[in-house]
Amino acid sequence: MDPVRLEIFRHLLAAIAEEMGAVLRRTGFSPNIKERRDYSCALFTSDGELVAQAAHIPVHLGALPLSVQACREAFPELKPGDAVLLNDPFRGGTHLPDLTLVSPVFVEGNLLGFVASRAHHADIGGMAPGSMPLSREIFQEGLIIPPVKLMERGRPNPAVWELLLANVRTPDERRGDLRAQLAANERGVRRLQELAATYGLEALQAAFSALLDYAERLMRTLLQTLPDGTWHFEDALDDDGIGEESLWIRVALTIAGDTATIDFSETDPQCAGSLNAVRAITVSAVYYVFRALLGYDVPANAGCLRPLRIVTRPGTLVDARPPAAVAGGNVETSQRIVDVLLGALAQVCSDRIPAASQGTMNNLTIGGLDPRTGRYYAYYETLAGGAGATPDADGTSAVHTHMTNTLNTPVEALEYAYPLRVTHYAIRDGSGGAGRHRGGDGLIREIELLAPAQVTWLTERRRRAPYGLAGGAPGQPGRNLWIRRDEVRPMPGKISFQAEAGDRIRIETPGGGGWGPPA
């Protein structure tokens, strides 16, 4: 295809995914969607290959193709107006709060492809508000949804809606956010149909194929610039919240010509707690790292993965088997997989790899009865931290890194929506690692409860610091504090407890590692 025409199609398709995200944000009901923007949107071929995406959440986007594949297998004869909902991590999902909605796109009776949106819902039931508990099996984490038709030929499936809303603490929020996802998908369907009407169905399908092939060629070209060989790296998660043992993730990276094999076979077995990641998450992390390594403007699609062979051993932390608990695998283990991959690549092309970033999403959930309304609320947030320094620049402070790409919940929005008050919010000065280039600093966020609530922390890098590179110092680990009547209690990285009105919850997030020896 003519390169100018190919570039036009590339941006047209990416713009559709971005517009889907704008619709989802503007019509979303919960602060988690409309403020934090914890969602992702993408387009797929009729075979389920990712062909275009918005600049949303990496851990969502790399796993979405498996969700589309699960929908195609469950419903091989989808019709116009259908919309399939799922969240089952063992059938293409990531963890239960991430609800995925897949819609087919038909043009003149022919299946052109699919659009999909994935959004993190602040509660999907389970043993703790926010559905991010310290669980031992997936059944404790919330409602498990296999591929089901939320909409059929443009009409709601009332049984599915009623079943879902009866199993969550905040049904009005869930209804509103799901309707926002439906609106986003409908916009994507309409825009693809308009493109097909303008350029023709065959031309659009040819553009899909050409973009996938182009991304594959670019990835193969990148790999050919790297030396052949095998490199090893390992890093550990602090613990699983059940025991105190470190959990090791190990990779063997082999580059041979224009291909790479990423082998996680020596990773520790799946754990008793919720830090198990399904294979879809591991694929997401690999896709993110190698897509970022390209270093220049290329299509973000499934073609990037074609030269990569990803090896996992079933029953391990990076390829968990049911009924393993997985709530934290999506948010925490995904970050450590990235750290391990970057550590291996630092031995291959050290001049292009940053030191470790904070390595956690600092998950905080608070939930209970809101005395203002007499109804349940569930607040969920991931908190920013320090980015790792690069070979030519200091790390950024107080930023979401790697597998997450959300914003914070603004103080005004948080205090309006929940019985909470933010008493302190600042950069954690000096928490970044020293080096020729310093790691970015973490942040401090302190929240006062205005009513009794259950608090859950699911955080990492509290015992093991983010590593520096090339002689740079590690960043400072994070800290979790529970302040009761002016008594400051240090808390574990993973814990769930009942707190009272007037208690304060304080998180100090990790800094990024430094790069190069300090002056």
Side-chain angles (χ1 to χ4, degrees):
M1 181 175 287
D2 174 75
V4 174
R5 185 176 178 84
L6 185 66
E7 192 72 2
I8 289 171
F9 274 118
R10 174 195 161 200
H11 287 283
L12 285 171
L13 295 172
I16 292 174
E18 293 285 357
E19 187 177 354
M20 289 174 63
V23 170
L24 181 49
R25 173 176 57 85
R26 291 171 68 87
T27 58
F29 197 86
S30 68
N32 204 50
I33 303 299
K34 64 187 179 184
E35 301 289 355
R36 289 187 60 244
R37 306 186 190 184
D38 197 345
Y39 56 76
S40 298
C41 300
L43 315 180
F44 300 82
T45 68
S46 58
D47 293 328
E49 287 193 282
L50 174 69
V51 71
Q53 66 178 57
H56 289 157
I57 314 296
V59 76
H60 288 173
L61 293 162
L64 269 175
L66 295 175
S67 296
V68 175
Q69 187 63 35
C71 293
R72 292 176 68 238
E73 292 172 357
F75 301 102
E77 299 295 333
L78 287 170
K79 304 296 182 183
D82 288 352
V84 181
L85 178 72
L86 78 154
N87 74 347
D88 187 347
F90 301 104
R91 296 186 67 177
T94 48
H95 64 173
L96 298 185
D98 284 344
L99 299 190
T100 303
L101 197 66
V102 179
S103 301
V105 183
F106 287 90
V107 176
E108 299 175 354
N110 298 299
L111 178 64
L112 170 62
F114 300 88
V115 299
S117 60
R118 172 170 284 168
H120 184 113
H121 288 247
D123 187 88
I124 194 66
M127 64 188 288
S131 307
M132 296 288 288
L134 270 64
S135 47
R136 292 175 178 265
E137 57 182 8
I138 192 172
F139 306 110
Q140 297 174 320
E141 297 178 349
L143 182 65
I144 303 171
I145 307 170
V148 294
K149 287 187 179 180
L150 189 68
M151 303 288 290
E152 191 160 10
R153 295 177 182 259
R155 296 184 177 181
N157 186 337
V160 173
W161 283 90
E162 291 173 13
L163 178 65
L164 190 154
L165 298 176
N167 282 276
V168 300
R169 295 174 177 83
T170 51
D172 289 342
E173 272 195 4
R174 303 292 67 75
R175 183 186 293 110
D177 287 343
L178 275 173
R179 286 176 173 171
Q181 285 186 255
L182 283 169
N185 281 27
E186 289 170 4
R187 180 63 59 88
V189 169
R190 189 185 325 141
R191 289 290 188 248
L192 276 174
Q193 290 171 337
E194 291 170 356
L195 275 188
T198 301
Y199 295 98
L201 177 61
E202 291 184 359
L204 195 51
Q205 289 173 326
F208 286 179
S209 297
L211 285 167
L212 290 166
D213 292 343
Y214 178 45
E216 178 185 357
R217 290 196 302 273
L218 289 172
M219 182 59 73
R220 291 190 186 279
T221 300
L222 166 71
L223 294 173
Q224 286 177 324
T225 67
L226 303 177
D228 289 355
T230 299
W231 295 268
H232 299 266
F233 196 82
E234 63 181 11
D235 199 354
L237 297 157
D238 292 339
D239 56 68
D240 66 354
I242 305 298
E244 296 185 356
E245 299 82 11
S246 296
L247 308 172
W248 288 89
I249 297 174
R250 302 179 178 92
V251 69
L253 169 64
T254 299
I255 296 173
D258 64 353
T259 64
T261 299
I262 303 96
D263 189 346
F264 295 97
S265 297
E266 298 304 314
T267 292
D268 280 357
Q270 62 191 55
C271 61
S274 70
L275 291 191
N276 302 294
V278 295
R279 180 177 163 86
I281 292 169
T282 304
V283 172
S284 286
V286 173
Y287 169 63
Y288 161 75
V289 168
F290 279 87
R291 170 65 183 81
L293 189 62
L294 283 169
Y296 47 85
D297 200 20
V298 301
N301 62 45
C304 295
L305 280 172
R306 289 176 178 173
L308 308 178
R309 177 172 170 257
I310 302 169
V311 180
T312 57
R313 181 165 53 90
T316 59
L317 287 169
V318 297
D319 189 354
R321 303 286 90 184
V326 297
N330 178 65
V331 288
E332 297 303 293
T333 307
S334 66
Q335 298 283 57
R336 196 64 71 255
I337 294 170
V338 170
D339 290 341
V340 167
L341 285 170
L342 291 176
L345 284 166
Q347 303 168 59
V348 182
C349 47
S350 60
D351 59 329
R352 300 169 66 177
I353 304 300
S357 295
Q358 66 162 339
T360 176
M361 296 192 197
N362 301 293
N363 301 272
L364 171 65
T365 55
I366 303 174
L369 286 173
D370 188 337
R372 302 171 300 178
T373 64
R375 305 174 72 179
Y376 255 108
Y377 76 94
Y379 159 73
Y380 169 73
E381 180 135 34
T382 59
L383 296 175
T390 71
D392 54 8
D394 293 346
T396 304
S397 297
V399 65
H400 287 273
T401 54
H402 295 322
M403 298 305 286
T404 179
N405 190 29
T406 64
L407 303 180
N408 71 166
T409 303
V411 172
E412 299 84 355
L414 186 153
E415 294 183 345
Y416 175 81
Y418 309 112
L420 305 171
R421 179 183 295 125
V422 177
T423 56
H424 190 90
Y425 197 23
I427 289 177
R428 187 186 175 199
D429 289 333
S431 55
R436 184 188 313 161
H437 299 291
R438 289 191 56 85
D441 290 330
L443 60 77
I444 300 170
R445 188 151 170 141
E446 186 176 288
I447 299 173
E448 180 183 356
L449 308 185
L450 303 183
Q454 185 171 354
V455 178
T456 302
W457 267 309
L458 188 55
T459 62
E460 265 293 318
R461 293 295 196 196
R462 267 48 186 177
R463 291 163 52 190
R464 303 183 66 88
Y467 60 77
L469 279 181
Q476 287 189 18
R479 294 202 309 165
N480 301 341
L481 303 172
W482 180 16
I483 304 172
R484 303 198 71 188
R485 305 181 186 89
D486 295 325
E487 176 190 356
V488 180
R489 302 183 182 182
M491 303 296 283
K494 302 167 189 70
I495 191 171
S496 187
F497 59 96
Q498 192 69 29
E500 300 300 325
D503 291 357
R504 285 174 286 157
I505 308 302
R506 182 183 177 96
I507 293 187
E508 300 178 0
T509 67
W515 200 99

